[in-house]
């Protein structure tokens, strides 16, 4: 049976209830053993950041500890900036917060991450940025120990993960499961597919390659999703069934990423806008086969000279859909698909105390 420790059976609204449930024991332990032993303990537990990258938390904390002079900061990231997600997202800055910090200015880049300019690295303030789930897991590790944490999940992805599932399932929701749980079991917790429908595909966020339905047995670990050519990300899943033409999904995801592109890098901004326009022309029935070669060229160029990964995300997610679902594209180009329902990438609207999610259709 799956063990859970992050999501209580009912909301804890009073500090007394929090303390009686064991809250604060992790902090107490950290204060007892000190910063070096705390980092060593989290490293030994194998905790990986739950914000999407899966980076070693112990290594991140150690890099901040060893980052030279200056005051250290910790930022708990609780942003929910991605469609289909109701948990945390890592901060998308140009300066490495673990090295320079919240208020530093890197003169080589000429971009200020805060509003208090400083001169170079002499006044750096190395900063840990972890999402809320990661920090919560770290507290439990300190309170309960390495062996307790590693008894859950897998060797390379220990512990549990909080996963959001929205889209074409009976009960969209948020569930805590052990790492290594097959994705299909998570979907079963959401009631399975809608009546009379079959699963077609899923996305873990809007920046990872599509996961087709024949890969839904993939275990929820960073390494298994990477081996399948996708990524676990922050485990915010949107699921689509066989009523959807996946070209429409490619258009919606491309439209979102094009809007999110900041415009500093013309190949990314202009390229993602052009890719979105090409996909729109296919979906509207106004394109010919020539658009496929044009799309391929633009997808290759969208990452040119980029300073962040948004162009790569555009390239990965759109290319993966075109590769996995060529018949959907052909059906639109040939006029064989005119009844597929319109879709949107669903932003979360509300989450109930029992974990049930409602989202904008």
């Amino acid at each position: 049976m799956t063990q859970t420790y992050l999501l209580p059976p009912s909301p804890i609204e009073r500090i007394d209830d929090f303390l009686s449930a064991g809250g604060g024991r992790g902090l107490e332990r950290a204060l007892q053993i000190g910063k070096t032993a705390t980092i060593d303990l989290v490293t030994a537990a194998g905790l990986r950041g739950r914000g999407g990258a899966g980076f070693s938390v112990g290594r991140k904390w150690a890099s901040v500890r060893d980052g030279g002079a200056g005051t250290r900061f910790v930022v708990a990231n609780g942003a929910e900036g991605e469609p289909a997600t109701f948990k945390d997202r890592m901060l998308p800055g140009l300066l490495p917060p673990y090295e320079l910090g919240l208020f530093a200015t890197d003169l080589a880049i000429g971009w200020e991450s805060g509003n208090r300019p400083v001169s170079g690295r002499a006044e750096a303030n190395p900063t840990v940025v972890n999402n809320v789930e990661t920090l919560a897991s770290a507290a439990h590790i300190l309170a309960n120990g390495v062996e307790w944490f590693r008894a859950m999940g897998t060797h390379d992805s220990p512990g549990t993960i909080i996963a959001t599932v929205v889209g074409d399932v009976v009960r969209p929701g948020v569930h805590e499961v052990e790492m290594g749980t097959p994705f299909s079991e998570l979907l079963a917790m959401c009631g399975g597919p809608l009546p009379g429908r079959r699963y077609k595909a899923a996305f873990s966020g809007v920046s990872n390659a599509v996961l087709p339905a024949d890969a839904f047995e993939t275990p929820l670990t960073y390494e298994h999703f990477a081996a399948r050519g996708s990524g676990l990300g922050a485990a915010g899943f949107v699921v689509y069934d066989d009523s959807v033409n996946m070209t429409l999904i490619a258009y919606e995801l491309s439209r979102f990423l094009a809007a999110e592109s900041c415009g500093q890098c013309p190949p990314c901004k202009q390229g993602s806008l052009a890719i979105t326009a090409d996909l729109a022309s296919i979906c509207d029935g106004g394109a010919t086969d020539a658009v496929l070669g044009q799309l391929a060229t633009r997808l290759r160029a969208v990452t040119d000279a980029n300073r962040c990964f948004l162009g790569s995300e555009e390239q990965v997610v759109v290319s993966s859909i075109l590769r996995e679902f060529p018949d959907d594209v052909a059906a639109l180009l040939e006029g064989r698909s005119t009844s597929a329902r319109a879709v949107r990438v669903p932003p979360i609207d509300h989450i109930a105390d029992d974990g049930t999610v409602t989202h904008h259709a």
Side-chain angles (χ1 to χ4, degrees):
M1 181 176 179
T2 298
Q3 300 184 62
T4 58
Y5 58 90
L6 290 173
L7 295 180
S10 60
I12 297 176
E13 299 177 347
R14 298 171 61 249
I15 186 63
D16 291 343
D17 295 335
F18 171 73
L19 295 174
S20 64
R25 289 194 299 129
L27 174 61
E28 182 179 7
R29 178 64 172 157
L31 293 173
Q32 288 175 347
I33 64 177
K35 60 185 180 182
T36 298
T38 295
I39 292 173
D40 290 345
L41 191 66
V42 171
T43 302
L47 177 61
R48 299 172 69 167
R50 301 297 196 247
F55 189 76
S56 166
V57 174
R59 285 179 59 191
K60 178 182 281 190
W61 290 6
S63 70
V64 171
R65 177 196 60 193
D66 301 334
T71 302
R72 270 61 173 166
F73 292 86
V74 175
V75 173
N77 177 23
E80 304 289 359
E82 192 170 18
T85 304
F86 202 91
K87 53 181 288 181
D88 313 303
R89 184 180 179 189
M90 294 196 70
L91 293 177
L94 291 176
L95 299 182
Y98 60 88
E99 184 178 352
L100 295 176
L102 289 173
F103 310 110
T105 299
D106 189 322
L107 300 180
I109 294 179
W111 180 82
E112 183 183 333
S113 59
N115 56 16
R116 183 179 69 85
V118 298
S119 55
R121 297 169 186 260
E123 297 180 54
N125 40 88
T127 303
V128 165
V129 180
N130 281 131
N131 75 344
V132 175
E133 183 183 353
T134 305
L135 296 172
S137 285
H140 283 278
I141 289 169
L142 286 160
N144 298 301
V146 171
E147 293 76 15
W148 167 84
F149 185 73
R150 282 199 168 274
M152 297 170 281
T154 69
H155 180 272
D156 292 325
S157 294
T160 69
I161 192 165
I162 298 176
T164 307
V165 180
V166 297
D168 296 335
V169 293
V170 173
R171 294 187 303 275
V174 178
H175 298 278
E176 182 183 359
V177 296
E178 285 193 42
M179 300 287 278
T181 300
F183 180 51
S184 59
E185 289 188 19
L186 175 63
L187 295 179
M189 299 169 95
C190 297
L194 296 172
R197 294 296 181 185
R198 294 178 298 167
Y199 288 134
K200 190 168 186 177
F203 296 86
S204 177
V206 298
S207 58
N208 289 307
V210 63
L211 189 73
D214 61 10
F216 278 12
E217 294 301 316
T218 302
L220 294 169
T221 71
Y222 302 104
E223 57 273 14
H224 283 97
F225 266 67
R228 188 54 185 75
S230 185
L232 181 59
F237 294 99
V238 56
V239 181
Y240 294 104
D241 64 27
D242 57 359
S243 68
V244 174
N245 184 302
M246 294 302 294
T247 317
L248 299 173
I249 307 302
Y251 163 73
E252 287 293 342
L253 297 182
S254 180
R255 185 173 68 91
F256 172 81
L257 291 169
E260 289 293 300
S261 178
C262 68
Q264 289 190 63
C265 309
C268 174
K269 187 66 175 183
Q270 300 306 317
S272 57
L273 287 170
I275 291 166
T276 303
D278 285 343
L279 291 168
S281 70
I282 297 174
C283 295
D284 293 340
T288 65
D289 289 350
V291 75
L292 297 178
Q294 185 170 278
L295 263 174
T297 299
R298 286 172 170 162
L299 284 167
R300 285 194 298 269
V302 73
T303 59
D304 288 354
N306 283 358
R307 297 173 68 183
C308 78
F309 287 106
L310 191 142
S312 298
E313 294 166 358
E314 171 83 3
Q315 184 184 76
V316 166
V317 72
V318 174
S319 296
S320 72
I321 296 171
L322 299 180
R323 181 175 61 251
E324 291 285 352
F325 300 99
D327 290 344
D328 284 16
V329 180
L332 289 169
L333 288 174
E334 298 167 7
R336 293 186 285 108
S337 177
T338 57
S339 60
R341 65 181 172 91
V343 293
R344 291 289 183 268
V345 180
I348 299 296
D349 183 42
H350 176 69
I351 178 172
D353 290 344
D354 65 358
T356 301
V357 164
T358 57
H359 58 86
H360 298 294

